[in-house]
Amino acid sequence: MLQQLINHSSDLKRLQDEGYKLELVDGYLLVHRIPYVNSSSKIGEGVLITDLDLAGNKTAKPNNHVIHFVGDQPCNKDGSVITAIEHNKTTRKLSNAITVDRSFSNKPKNGYKYYHHKITRYIDIISAPAISMDSSQTARVYEVIEVPEDDSVFNYFDTNSSRAEIGVISEKLEGHIIGIIGLGGTGSYILDQVAKTPVQEIHLFDGDRFLQHNAFRSPGAPSIKQLNRQYFKTGYFKMIYSKMHRGIKSHPNYLDESNLSMLDEMNFVFLSIDIGSAKKRIIEYLISKKIPFIDVGLDVTVAGQSLLATVRSTLVTDQMKDHIPNRISLIDRDADEYASNIQIAELNALNATMAVIKWKKHLQFYQDEEGEFSAFYSTNVNEMFNEDHRS
């Protein structure tokens, strides 16, 4: 993927052609073998690291003028610190593969035009003392780093995580195999959010087809031609989200006793279906296999000339499952004369967001001081409240 990016980015291609040793790791550009002088007036080599702003498969203008460094503090020939670029001296992890020792700040009046401009400017500042001590010192070493086979779950770099420098936190989601059962309004929005995480696989389960009413309560905007094709929901959403995530798996089936074993490999399941009897079978199976899951619920009723809605998200784990009877309805909608099936896109999206945030809290992506297993939102009072706290 590095060479493909270089081939499409004239500034990176220029860096490579000029002999700089480039590497791409977790969405960051690394430039190796940067000569510098340390506090003992000895010459050493460090690594410059910058996040990347990309437009498709090529670089865009750098948005961030700060750069990271692996190595000791760069100094002048006499061992005094190069104060003009001082920024942060804290050692920290950008990702599990990258730990930096410090960062530098040097901002031109109009910012950096491209990455060649940014990298070479910092090299000029950092390496100048070393070169003045030994004219053979150079960062243009013409060495090539062998690029390992790309094993990313994404078709392009997650520059959002690297830009925000939350790669270490995002890596908590890696390797997980996720199931989404039901791709109606809420389930499809769950997919929209989970597909933007580095989970290994996302398995979609639904036997329904994507029809016109679904278009009004799902993310995106299908064309009339697409609606006329009447794709299975799983196939339709795989077609869309596989453009971004490589691990989307389509299962155009309803789950019953004959195929519940398809859930055995899941690390976590999102349950977004209305049929109580089917939900009951799935929940009993997930509990028997000790697979944690979140069940979502949306209750919308007509109140005069307005709508009244309550949105619910309930986490169930092997350690906490006694709250199921009080939170999750296992009655078929046809048997409940008071049940409604009104769905509105923003409520579906909110329901999905509540579920995904709770899943991420379960994995310690977010802090979880409250430790609730059920969360509710009421449109009438614009209030969210928590129930079923961990003991």
Side-chain angles (χ1 to χ4, degrees), residues 23 28-36 44-50 67-74 88 90-95 97-104 126:
E23 185 179 17
Y28 293 90
L29 177 69
L30 284 66
V31 186
H32 294 264
R33 300 199 60 184
I34 309 300
Y36 70 98
E45 290 185 345
V47 183
L48 283 171
I49 300 173
T50 180
I67 203 163
H68 302 285
F69 189 69
V70 178
D72 295 330
Q73 175 66 51
N88 191 312
T90 304
T91 298
R92 62 197 185 97
K93 296 183 73 172
L94 299 182
S95 72
I98 302 174
T99 300
V100 297
D101 297 304
R102 63 198 78 248
S103 59
F104 305 134
I126 294 168

